[in-house]
Structures are given as structure tokens and as C-alpha cells.
Amino acid sequence: MIIAKTSKDLDRMREVGELIAEVRETLRLMVKPGISTLELNTTAEKMMRDAGAIPTFVGYKPTGMTPFPFAICASVNEQVVHGFSNASPLKSGDIISLDMAATLNGFVGDTATTVAVGEIADEIKHLIEVTEQCLVKGIAQCFPNRRVGDIGWAVQEHAEKFGYGIVRNYTGHGIGRSLHESPQIPNYGRPGTKEKIRAGYVFAIEPMLNLGTYETKTLKDKWTVVTSDGKPSAHCEHTVAITAVGPEILTLTKKQKAALSKPKMELAAA
Ligand code: MG
């Protein structure tokens, strides 16, 4: 069952969304050659706890898995998702995907971004840009009466124009009091299929694009997912509420919301 949120629930989800967005943007600014993913993890966990929130990923344990040990998933280069933080310094030319979630007042916000470390190759820069464009295209489908398959189709259609592999084994998801709620939101699909989207639903939309094959495998730690061909992978994610008039991105910082509000007003007047 897909849980529709009340307006009070949405207020709480806005609050946690803004918090986790502030964490994401803080980490983005910290990424540079020489910093370790462990340092990024420590900062993220401190920001969440200082705000009275719980780092949702710490101890997260799907059936049959060991508990996830970190506040963020830090996935470098060919790592797709669920990478472990460690003390080795990032190098110029690496890319780092940072996925994070916080729980505040009983609700979860989930967001991810891929950041270049120093100077990266143009083909990897392009992969990240297209991943971000896919996220925007997926979010643009989040209107009442459209379908979950429309989101996957929008992402897939754009990614495949450039020949990128779309990860199949991991998907976006409903989100609310739990990190993972119904429905699953694949990054591929056909328009007009799957669940009908309704106002009050909140979705975590998260395209994962690979430079090469879409196939992935999991490392011995049972968590870290890597591309099967060892080529780089990018990932970005927003938590998005579906309102009567369309999508509202919950995982934006105060500053990002302020920058958005002006063009939105102009759009409404047009
Ligand atoms: Mg997610």
C-alpha cells in the first residue's frame, strides 16, 4: 500500500528534507583531493545529530544483511551504491557518490549526489550531468494521475540517448515514516504502466547511471555495489512530494528554495 501523507506529515518531511539537503551541500563543498570518505561521514553524522536527527542508515538492516555501519553511503568511481567510508584520501580524477538519509520527528529525508574530486575526465563529467538531467526528468513526471512507469520511462529514455547503462537492481522508493515504503520506482519502464500517482505521495527518485554496462555485482562486505565492468557510475536523488499541482522537491536547502521561488512565481503568472 502506498501511504499518502497528511499536510502535517508533509510539514515534517519538509523539515527533514531541508536538513538532509544542508548536509548534502556541506559535503559537496568538502570534497577535494586528500579528504577521506570517513571525514565526510563524520561531518554528516555530526550535522544530523546536532539537529536532533538520527542518521537513518546507521544500523539499517534489511533481512539477511549485516547492519549498515555508516551515516552515509560513500561510493567511489565504479562503486554504484552502498559504499563504506574509509580513511584513504580521495584523489583528483575520482568521483564520489554520496547518499544520505536522516530521520527527524518520525519522518525520513533521503538524498544523493555525485561529486567530482579535482579534475575529472570529460566523459565522466558528462555522465554526472546526464544523471542529474535524468533526475529532473523523473521529477517532472510527478503529477497526480500519472503513473510510476512514466517516471522510469522519462529517466530511461534520456539516459539511453547517450548510451549509458541504467542500473536495474536498485530503484527509487516511496518514503515517509520509513526509509523504504511502497512503491518501488525503477529507473526504466513504459509510460502509462504501474501504480497511479496521487497527491500526498512522497517518492525518493534516484537514477543510477553507468558509463558502461548496467550490470552490477556486490563486494564481499555484502553491501558495496560495483559495476560489473569496473567503469564509473553516478547517482543522484531527491525526496519529492506530489502535490495537487505537481512535484515539490523536499530535499533542497533554504538557499536553493529561495532561488527557485522567483521563477516559480513568474511561471504561475504566465
Ligand atoms: Mg533512496
Side-chain angles (χ1 to χ4, degrees):
M1 192 191 66
I2 307 178
I3 303 165
K5 275 70 186 175
T6 65
S7 65
K8 198 175 161 199
D9 295 342
L10 286 178
D11 282 343
R12 289 178 171 167
M13 293 200 77
R14 284 186 187 99
E15 212 178 314
V16 69
E18 194 175 291
L19 166 66
I20 200 69
E22 298 289 352
V23 177
R24 181 193 64 226
E25 294 308 310
T26 300
L27 298 193
R28 282 185 63 89
L29 292 173
M30 287 174 73
V31 170
K32 57 175 193 293
I35 197 163
S36 73
T37 47
L38 209 48
E39 288 170 80
L40 299 172
N41 182 74
T42 301
T43 299
E45 178 155 3
K46 184 171 188 312
M47 279 183 80
M48 293 183 213
R49 293 202 189 277
D50 286 353
I54 296 161
T56 317
F57 292 170
V58 175
Y60 184 75
K61 188 186 173 307
T63 317
M65 298 283 287
T66 52
F68 191 80
F70 298 99
I72 63 170
C73 297
S75 309
V76 182
N77 298 331
E78 78 285 0
Q79 297 179 351
V80 180
V81 283
H82 308 161
F84 282 10
S85 297
N86 62 47
S88 27
L90 294 169
K91 313 180 298 293
S92 184
D94 286 341
I95 57 169
I96 170 82
S97 297
L98 300 164
D99 190 356
M100 61 209 80
T103 307
L104 181 66
N105 297 319
F107 285 89
V108 187
D110 189 4
T111 187
T113 185
T114 296
V115 195
V117 184
E119 278 302 307
I120 61 168
D122 285 346
E123 63 169 2
I124 305 178
K125 218 179 271 177
H126 189 253
L127 173 73
I128 297 173
E129 282 166 12
V130 172
T131 307
E132 287 167 355
Q133 290 162 7
C134 283
L135 176 57
V136 171
K137 288 187 180 280
I139 292 170
Q141 296 298 321
C142 289
F143 281 80
N145 297 320
R146 293 202 190 160
R147 296 213 172 240
V148 167
D150 297 342
I151 299 172
W153 165 79
V155 171
Q156 179 175 21
E157 204 221 15
H158 191 64
E160 288 184 346
K161 257 187 237 167
F162 303 95
Y164 295 138
I166 300 159
V167 173
R168 261 69 165 168
N169 293 340
Y170 303 88
T171 67
H173 48 92
I175 182 169
R177 289 189 180 274
S178 303
L179 174 62
H180 294 122
E181 294 184 355
S182 189
Q184 284 198 343
I185 305 172
N187 293 302
Y188 56 91
R190 282 183 296 121
T193 62
K194 300 182 73 81
E195 297 86 347
K196 189 177 269 190
I197 300 173
R198 298 180 196 280
Y201 288 179
V202 181
F203 292 166
I205 300 179
E206 46 179 324
M208 296 156 223
L209 268 59
N210 298 345
L211 194 61
T213 177
Y214 69 82
E215 284 174 48
T216 62
K217 58 186 184 188
T218 306
L219 298 185
K220 278 203 192 91
D221 63 25
K222 296 213 170 93
W223 276 104
T224 310
V225 177
V226 298
T227 56
S228 294
D229 60 8
K231 290 187 179 173
S233 181
H235 176 205
C236 56
E237 175 180 25
H238 273 307
T239 298
V240 179
I242 290 91
T243 75
V245 292
E248 176 185 340
I249 303 175
L250 301 181
T251 39
L252 295 177
T253 64
K254 264 202 176 67
K255 208 170 146 189
Q256 288 169 330
K257 284 180 197 168
L260 269 184
S261 64
K262 196 168 169 280
K264 218 197 226 161
M265 280 158 61
E266 281 166 4
L267 205 68

